[in-house]
Amino acid sequence: MNVRRGMWAAAAAVTLLGLVGCGDDDGETTGASDTTVAGDEHQEYCDASAALDEADGPPTADQVNDLVEIAPDDILDDVELAAERYSELGMDAFADGEFNQAIERVEEWEAENCEGREEDEEEEAEPQEPEEGAARVELTATEYAFELSGPVASGRTALVLTNDGEEDHHIDIVRFKEGTTKEEAEAAAEEGPSALFGLIEEDTDFGGPTTSTDAGPGEQAVLNLDLEPGLYGIACFVSAADGQPHFFKGMFTIVEVS
């Protein structure tokens, strides 16, 4: 599966999911000094990229454009393309396939040339099984939609994802701010990512690639979690063949937990 977790992904992840950079085994953010080595010919760029990766929010357009000035020739075209789209569209740029493909090439280069960046990848979590006593909720994934088996109640929940599609899928769950109505969330989703992101609580992410909620075609994945009453969103951020994350193809559903 192609789930990006570098600087550019952090721009989306911080806002979409409340994720910041990549943690170590204790869940703490790794500092920029741990991701590069003095004397590296690409140190200035690697340090700048790592610093943005670890920031507490998505980068500004100016910060991204600053990377263009120090980008190595090997990835200059891709950094320029990404910076141009990000400056023009902000978070909505992540709906652009070419933008995402450029980011992917940049991050592949960083993994190979910024010594230590490969260590930013978190170890894949062990697959979960439905917990005994947890309320089981079935979630079916196809291209590009989720379908729930029925109403979702608060409490300990075993969310079982079944992939009936032909592409890989995963689940990320975020909680909307208290007081947000389903109608408001649906309207924001129709308006675009920027409007939707503003309604999401920080630090409420469940799921995603680091909790082993990935499922290939015909596979299942399980996420055991505690759900409080409120409004939640379920999304898939796996990239399609055209580079566009499934979320931007409509793979997002809003769930009321009673």
Side-chain angles (χ1 to χ4, degrees):
M1 292 180 61
N2 178 25
V3 181
R4 298 179 305 280
R5 293 299 304 277
M7 184 280 291
W8 296 94
V14 166
T15 306
L16 295 171
L17 311 174
L19 302 177
V20 182
C22 300
D24 59 20
D25 291 340
D26 296 323
E28 298 177 354
T29 302
T30 303
S33 61
D34 295 330
T35 60
T36 58
V37 175
D40 188 324
E41 62 177 315
H42 307 301
Q43 180 173 342
E44 184 180 11
Y45 171 85
C46 292
D47 281 343
S49 176
L52 292 184
D53 190 7
E54 292 147 14
D56 289 336
T60 66
D62 286 342
Q63 288 173 321
V64 172
N65 286 323
D66 286 344
L67 284 181
V68 176
E69 300 300 320
I70 56 175
D73 291 341
D74 290 347
I75 54 171
L76 179 57
D77 288 346
D78 285 324
V79 175
E80 285 181 334
L81 184 152
E84 179 182 349
R85 301 285 172 85
Y86 188 74
S87 296
E88 178 184 355
L89 302 173
M91 298 306 298
D92 291 345
F94 286 90
D96 185 295
E98 289 186 356
F99 174 85
N100 286 285
Q101 289 169 341
I103 291 172
E104 182 177 348
R105 290 189 292 269
V106 169
E107 294 188 343
E108 288 175 352
W109 183 94
E110 289 179 355
E112 293 177 0
N113 295 276
C114 295
E115 188 168 344
R117 286 304 285 267
E118 67 275 4
E119 297 174 0
D120 286 349
E121 294 293 333
E122 296 183 8
E123 293 184 7
E124 183 177 352
E126 291 294 325
Q128 299 182 29
E129 296 292 336
E131 289 183 0
E132 184 176 355
R136 182 174 175 130
V137 176
E138 304 287 345
L139 181 68
T140 302
T142 55
E143 284 77 41
Y144 297 99
F146 289 117
E147 182 177 349
L148 277 171
S149 58
V152 181
S154 59
R156 194 63 179 168
T157 303
L159 184 61
V160 181
L161 172 69
T162 299
N163 186 352
D164 280 350
E166 298 180 357
E167 300 180 28
D168 293 338
H169 295 295
H170 74 237
I171 47 177
D172 272 292
I173 305 177
V174 293
R175 185 175 179 180
F176 287 95
K177 293 177 180 178
E178 186 175 357
T180 302
T181 67
K182 188 173 183 179
E183 291 73 21
E184 289 172 338
E186 289 174 343
E190 288 291 329
E191 184 176 342
S194 297
L196 185 65
F197 302 156
L199 297 180
I200 294 174
E201 285 189 359
E202 296 181 0
D203 302 323
T204 61
D205 175 53
F206 309 95
T210 60
T211 50
S212 195
T213 56
D214 301 340
E219 295 180 348
Q220 284 191 332
V222 177
L223 178 61
N224 296 295
L225 71 167
D226 291 309
L227 291 177
E228 298 179 357
L231 195 66
Y232 294 78
I234 301 177
C236 176
F237 294 101
V238 176
S239 291
D242 63 2
Q244 187 179 51
H246 294 173
F247 167 80
F248 293 101
K249 292 180 177 290
M251 202 161 183
F252 178 75
T253 189
I254 297 170
V255 181
E256 291 183 288
V257 175
S258 60

